[in-house]
Amino acid sequence: MSEKTMQQEKVKRKIGRIGAGSPDYPALLKEIKDYPTELFYIGNIKLLKKRCAAVVGSRNTNQYGRSMAVAISKKLAERDVAVVSGMARGIDTCAHRGALSANGSTIAVLGCGVDICYPAENSGIKKEIEETGLVISEYAPGIKPQRYRFPQRNRIISGLSEITVVVQARNNSGALITAELSAEQGREVCALPGNIDSQYNLGSNKLIKDGARPIVSIADVLEAMGLDAIEQQEAEKLLSDTEMKIFNILRQDGEMGMDEICRRLGKPPAYVTGIVTVMELKGIVFSSLGKIFIAKG
């Protein structure tokens, strides 16, 4: 038996299969009208029970798009959200890498059998995802990638996810199909705005024009899922006792004017203004229209 054949046999032994009646089958995916009756997988099938967010975009992209895909996915993974994407070149690959960089969860949905790596250049990241995340497909092992299968698999990417985040997309990007499917499935669509004179952003900017939530900061993605950008334990490590008091007041009661914060703390405005300024520099709060808000990202 050749080394290649031995490797193929090893991969086949790792492949699992679940039907729509399995307790491991994701409930959110079953909400879509044309959910797959079975899924093939390699990796941790329990990730299908986690909260998921799709992060998708064009294969052809620029440094801005790639860096934002990594940053958004990393932040989601840090909040224990599984990042779902299609393991394609460009934004998809960056989304998976961002989640992995945070030692978080990521799910790759393929348009071919799970024993096939497409594109071939992603063999390294596919192995990483198999070891710590999950690779799934509705196509049986051995099924080769075909152009028409990728739009079909996009309904699974959106169907698994509470929201779909389009980081960067051209006018003809398959990510726009995922966004459209997400909207049809009753899920929220977010899009990262970009230069209006760049071909890389035409599709994502159009999504915003058509009603997608614009991503002004990474916080907007977290907010769409009802998540705070900073958790209590993190705040306790970053903030002084007085800063924590202000943080807890804002977390409990929401945005608040400086006068009310001063009253609650029993401190003069000059003192509180200095503390809030330090908190702004730390990225914990921000001020707008005379009120103080907890920063969302």
Side-chain angles (χ1 to χ4, degrees), residues 61-62 64-65 68 166-170 190-209 213-216:
T61 182
N62 59 21
Y64 168 67
M68 289 308 301
V166 179
V167 174
Q168 199 168 51
R170 299 186 180 209
C190 303
L192 184 74
N195 295 344
I196 62 174
D197 60 350
S198 170
Q199 60 182 326
Y200 296 115
N201 306 310
L202 292 175
S204 39
N205 283 344
K206 187 175 185 300
L207 284 175
I208 294 171
K209 180 182 177 182
R213 178 193 287 240
I215 302 170
V216 178

Coordinates of all heavy atoms in Angstrom, one line a residue, residues 61-62 64-65 68 166-170 190-209 213-216:
T61 N -8.9 39.8 -2.1 CA -9.1 40.8 -1.1 C -7.8 41.6 -0.9 O -6.8 41.4 -1.6 CB -9.5 40.2 0.2 OG1 -9.8 41.2 1.2 CG2 -8.5 39.2 0.7
N62 N -7.8 42.6 0.0 CA -6.6 43.4 0.3 C -6.3 43.2 1.8 O -7.0 42.6 2.5 CB -6.8 44.8 -0.1 CG -8.0 45.5 0.6 OD1 -8.4 45.1 1.6 ND2 -8.4 46.6 0.0
Y64 N -6.5 45.3 4.2 CA -7.5 45.8 5.1 C -8.6 44.7 5.4 O -8.9 44.4 6.6 CB -8.2 47.0 4.5 CG -9.5 47.5 5.2 CD1 -9.5 48.0 6.5 CD2 -10.7 47.4 4.5 CE1 -10.6 48.4 7.1 CE2 -11.9 47.8 5.2 CZ -11.8 48.3 6.4 OH -13.0 48.7 7.0
G65 N -9.0 44.1 4.4 CA -10.0 43.0 4.5 C -9.5 41.8 5.3 O -10.2 41.3 6.2
M68 N -9.0 42.7 9.1 CA -10.3 42.8 9.8 C -11.0 41.5 10.0 O -11.6 41.2 11.0 CB -11.2 43.8 9.0 CG -10.8 45.3 9.1 SD -10.5 45.8 10.8 CE -12.1 45.6 11.6
V166 N -20.2 40.0 6.6 CA -19.5 40.1 5.3 C -18.4 41.1 5.4 O -18.6 42.3 5.6 CB -20.4 40.5 4.1 CG1 -19.7 40.6 2.8 CG2 -21.6 39.5 4.0
V167 N -17.1 40.6 5.4 CA -16.0 41.5 5.7 C -15.6 42.3 4.5 O -15.4 43.5 4.6 CB -14.8 40.7 6.2 CG1 -13.6 41.6 6.4 CG2 -15.1 40.1 7.6
Q168 N -15.5 41.7 3.4 CA -15.2 42.4 2.1 C -15.7 41.6 1.0 O -15.4 40.4 0.9 CB -13.6 42.6 2.1 CG -13.2 43.7 1.1 CD -11.7 44.0 1.3 OE1 -10.9 43.1 1.3 NE2 -11.4 45.2 1.5
A169 N -16.4 42.2 0.1 CA -17.0 41.4 -1.0 C -17.1 42.3 -2.3 O -17.5 43.4 -2.3 CB -18.4 40.9 -0.7
R170 N -16.7 41.7 -3.4 CA -16.9 42.3 -4.7 C -18.3 42.1 -5.1 O -19.1 41.4 -4.5 CB -15.9 41.7 -5.7 CG -14.5 41.9 -5.4 CD -13.6 41.3 -6.5 NE -12.2 41.5 -6.2 CZ -11.3 41.7 -7.2 NH1 -11.6 41.7 -8.4 NH2 -10.0 41.8 -6.8
C190 N -24.4 41.6 8.8 CA -23.5 42.7 9.1 C -22.5 42.9 7.9 O -22.1 41.8 7.3 CB -22.8 42.6 10.4 SG -23.8 42.3 11.8
A191 N -22.1 44.1 7.6 CA -21.1 44.2 6.5 C -20.1 45.3 6.9 O -20.5 46.3 7.6 CB -21.8 44.6 5.2
L192 N -18.9 45.1 6.6 CA -17.8 46.1 6.9 C -17.7 47.1 5.7 O -17.5 46.7 4.6 CB -16.5 45.3 7.0 CG -15.3 46.2 7.4 CD1 -15.3 46.5 8.8 CD2 -14.0 45.4 7.1
P193 N -17.9 48.4 6.0 CA -17.8 49.4 4.9 C -16.4 49.5 4.5 O -15.4 49.3 5.3 CB -18.4 50.6 5.6 CG -18.1 50.4 7.1 CD -18.3 49.0 7.3
G194 N -16.2 50.0 3.2 CA -14.9 50.2 2.7 C -14.9 51.3 1.7 O -15.9 51.9 1.5
N195 N -13.7 51.7 1.2 CA -13.6 52.7 0.2 C -14.6 52.5 -1.0 O -14.7 51.4 -1.5 CB -12.2 52.8 -0.4 CG -11.2 53.2 0.7 OD1 -11.5 53.6 1.7 ND2 -9.9 52.9 0.4
I196 N -15.3 53.6 -1.3 CA -16.3 53.4 -2.4 C -15.7 53.4 -3.8 O -16.3 53.0 -4.7 CB -17.3 54.6 -2.3 CG1 -16.6 56.0 -2.6 CG2 -18.1 54.6 -1.0 CD1 -17.6 57.1 -2.7
D197 N -14.4 53.7 -3.9 CA -13.7 53.6 -5.2 C -12.9 52.3 -5.3 O -12.1 52.2 -6.2 CB -12.8 54.8 -5.4 CG -11.7 55.0 -4.4 OD1 -11.8 54.2 -3.4 OD2 -10.9 55.8 -4.6
S198 N -13.1 51.4 -4.4 CA -12.3 50.1 -4.4 C -13.2 49.0 -4.9 O -14.3 48.8 -4.3 CB -11.7 49.8 -3.1 OG -11.2 48.5 -3.0
Q199 N -12.8 48.2 -5.8 CA -13.6 47.0 -6.3 C -13.8 46.0 -5.2 O -14.7 45.2 -5.3 CB -12.8 46.4 -7.5 CG -11.4 45.9 -7.1 CD -10.7 45.3 -8.3 OE1 -11.3 44.7 -9.2 NE2 -9.4 45.4 -8.4
Y200 N -12.9 46.0 -4.2 CA -13.0 45.0 -3.2 C -14.2 45.2 -2.3 O -14.7 44.3 -1.6 CB -11.8 45.0 -2.3 CG -10.5 44.7 -3.0 CD1 -9.5 45.6 -3.1 CD2 -10.3 43.4 -3.5 CE1 -8.3 45.3 -3.8 CE2 -9.1 43.0 -4.1 CZ -8.1 44.0 -4.3 OH -6.9 43.7 -4.9
N201 N -14.8 46.4 -2.3 CA -15.8 46.8 -1.3 C -17.2 47.0 -2.0 O -18.1 47.3 -1.3 CB -15.4 48.0 -0.6 CG -14.1 47.9 0.1 OD1 -13.8 46.9 0.8 ND2 -13.2 48.9 -0.1
L202 N -17.3 46.8 -3.3 CA -18.5 47.2 -4.0 C -19.7 46.4 -3.4 O -20.8 46.9 -3.1 CB -18.4 46.9 -5.5 CG -17.5 47.9 -6.2 CD1 -17.3 47.4 -7.7 CD2 -18.0 49.3 -6.1
G203 N -19.5 45.1 -3.2 CA -20.6 44.2 -2.8 C -21.0 44.5 -1.3 O -22.2 44.6 -1.0
S204 N -20.0 44.6 -0.4 CA -20.3 44.8 1.0 C -20.9 46.2 1.2 O -21.8 46.3 2.0 CB -19.0 44.6 1.8 OG -17.9 45.1 1.2
N205 N -20.4 47.2 0.5 CA -21.0 48.5 0.6 C -22.5 48.5 0.2 O -23.4 49.2 0.7 CB -20.3 49.6 -0.2 CG -19.0 50.0 0.5 OD1 -18.8 49.7 1.7 ND2 -18.1 50.6 -0.2
K206 N -22.8 47.7 -0.9 CA -24.1 47.6 -1.4 C -25.0 47.0 -0.4 O -26.2 47.3 -0.2 CB -24.2 46.9 -2.7 CG -25.6 46.9 -3.4 CD -25.5 46.2 -4.7 CE -26.9 46.4 -5.4 NZ -28.0 45.7 -4.7
L207 N -24.5 46.0 0.4 CA -25.3 45.3 1.4 C -25.7 46.3 2.5 O -26.9 46.3 2.9 CB -24.5 44.2 2.1 CG -24.3 42.9 1.3 CD1 -23.3 42.0 2.1 CD2 -25.6 42.2 1.1
I208 N -24.8 47.2 2.8 CA -25.2 48.3 3.8 C -26.2 49.2 3.3 O -27.2 49.5 4.0 CB -23.9 49.1 4.2 CG1 -22.9 48.2 4.9 CG2 -24.3 50.3 5.1 CD1 -21.6 48.8 5.2
K209 N -26.1 49.6 2.0 CA -27.1 50.4 1.3 C -28.5 49.7 1.4 O -29.5 50.3 1.5 CB -26.7 50.7 -0.1 CG -27.7 51.5 -0.9 CD -27.2 51.7 -2.3 CE -28.3 52.5 -3.1 NZ -27.9 52.7 -4.5
R213 N -26.5 45.7 8.7 CA -25.9 46.5 9.8 C -24.4 46.9 9.5 O -23.6 46.0 9.3 CB -26.0 45.7 11.1 CG -25.3 46.5 12.3 CD -25.1 45.5 13.5 NE -26.4 45.2 14.1 CZ -26.7 45.4 15.4 NH1 -25.8 46.1 16.2 NH2 -27.8 45.0 15.9
P214 N -24.1 48.1 9.4 CA -22.7 48.5 9.2 C -21.8 48.2 10.4 O -22.2 48.5 11.5 CB -22.8 50.0 8.9 CG -24.0 50.5 9.6 CD -25.0 49.3 9.6
I215 N -20.6 47.7 10.1 CA -19.7 47.5 11.2 C -18.8 48.7 11.3 O -17.8 48.8 10.6 CB -18.8 46.2 10.9 CG1 -19.8 45.0 10.7 CG2 -17.9 45.9 12.1 CD1 -19.1 43.8 10.2
V216 N -19.1 49.5 12.3 CA -18.3 50.7 12.5 C -17.1 50.3 13.5 O -16.0 50.9 13.4 CB -19.1 51.8 13.1 CG1 -18.2 53.1 13.4 CG2 -20.2 52.2 12.2

